[in-house]
Amino acid sequence: MAGKHLLAILALPLIANSAVAQSEAPEDTIAALFDAMRAGDGDAVRNRVRTGATLERATSEGVRDLPFEDWASWIDTLESGQADEQIFEVEVRQFGNLASVWAPFVISLDDEIRGCGVNHFTLALEEDLWIVTHGSDTPYDGDCETFQQVYKERDAG
């Protein structure tokens, strides 16, 4: 009987580590990115994005590539609360160590809506943490004040 108790005690750290690894979901990493933006903390973004990861913007004029580092550096220039990107209707697809997060957004700067559209992130699980390996977005050309409602109604009727 003592052997069973010893085995259970030895297994506790493995169970605890497994619970921690399983507690974070890909969308938690995306939420952390936007929390970092709101805090003006580019290093917190860098901690969640793979070094060298790219960010693409797809518009009617073509696709523009940027390093994620440019976005993190911009965030470093912000005061806490200056920028606020809100995501909604988030969709996650995951298989093993690969995930995709689709996240429509509305972004405000200095309390004024400045843009909206859809983000798409590819993530990989590295050392029990979901890391962004690639990002892309596309802006919405209409009224960002009503974008969230328009997006939610896009498949209706």
Side-chain angles (χ1 to χ4, degrees), residues 13-34:
L14 296 175
I15 294 168
N17 285 341
S18 175
V20 168
Q22 292 176 1
S23 68
E24 180 167 292
E27 59 269 30
D28 295 331
T29 288
I30 303 311
L33 289 179
F34 296 119

Side-chain angles (χ1 to χ4, degrees), residues 92-111:
V92 179
R93 300 285 308 246
Q94 179 184 340
F95 183 81
N97 294 332
L98 181 66
S100 173
V101 176
W102 179 271
F105 69 91
V106 176
I107 184 169
S108 298
L109 188 60
D110 297 323
D111 295 321

Side-chain angles (χ1 to χ4, degrees), residues 5-87:
H5 290 290
L6 180 60
L7 187 57
I9 290 169
L10 291 174
L12 278 176
L14 296 175
I15 294 168
N17 285 341
S18 175
V20 168
Q22 292 176 1
S23 68
E24 180 167 292
E27 59 269 30
D28 295 331
T29 288
I30 303 311
L33 289 179
F34 296 119
D35 287 345
M37 173 195 274
R38 283 185 280 281
D41 187 352
D43 285 338
V45 169
R46 290 177 189 93
N47 290 336
R48 295 294 189 134
V49 175
R50 186 167 191 169
T51 302
T54 58
L55 183 59
E56 296 175 339
R57 173 154 277 204
T59 69
S60 59
E61 298 161 2
V63 178
R64 185 179 74 197
D65 294 323
L66 298 167
F68 250 103
E69 177 56 36
D70 288 3
W71 188 56
S73 293
W74 173 72
I75 289 171
D76 282 331
T77 70
L78 300 173
E79 298 293 324
S80 180
Q82 188 176 2
D84 184 13
E85 186 160 340
Q86 294 293 318
I87 57 176

Side-chain angles (χ1 to χ4, degrees), residues 57 84-86 88 104-109 112-119 137-148:
R57 173 154 277 204
D84 184 13
E85 186 160 340
Q86 294 293 318
F88 59 94
F105 69 91
V106 176
I107 184 169
S108 298
L109 188 60
E112 181 181 325
I113 293 177
R114 296 288 180 98
C116 57
V118 176
N119 294 311
D137 74 2
T138 189
Y140 175 64
D141 292 330
D143 180 12
C144 288
E145 294 282 344
T146 61
F147 173 66
Q148 191 167 356

